[in-house]
Amino acid sequence: MSAHCQLTGARPGFGNAISHSHRRTSRRFDPNIQNKRYWLPSEGRHVRLTLSARAIKTIDSIGIEAAAARIRARGTKV
């Protein structure tokens, strides 16, 4: 699975690594992706989500039910 967040949609960014001699090579800026398991009370089951660290903090503030609604609104299965 690619490194993307199910809640925020954060994906890797691409750029160049520039050496001391100013030679450029490709590199990737990956988001801080974590796998996290949450209890979803409305469905009576656990869900395993692939989230960025920022999305985990968002779920802590808005709650898992609202986050699940946002994920479904993005068209991703929960």
Side-chain angles (χ1 to χ4, degrees):
M1 188 169 172
S2 63
H4 76 277
C5 176
Q6 289 180 296
L7 179 61
T8 62
R11 292 186 177 271
F14 295 91
N16 291 312
I18 303 180
S19 70
H20 180 69
S21 65
H22 218 65
R23 195 177 168 102
R24 292 178 169 97
T25 54
S26 293
R27 65 160 293 181
R28 247 169 95 123
F29 296 92
D30 286 326
N32 185 4
I33 297 294
Q34 309 292 324
N35 288 315
K36 191 116 167 86
R37 196 178 124 185
Y38 288 99
W39 173 253
L40 202 56
S42 64
E43 297 180 19
R45 68 184 181 107
H46 284 95
V47 291
R48 190 172 298 277
L49 300 174
T50 305
L51 301 168
S52 63
R54 183 179 55 160
I56 292 171
K57 293 173 190 172
T58 302
I59 290 175
D60 288 345
S61 65
I62 68 171
I64 185 61
E65 295 292 341
R70 285 189 192 181
I71 292 170
R72 287 189 177 113
R74 294 187 78 239
T76 307
K77 185 179 168 189
V78 176

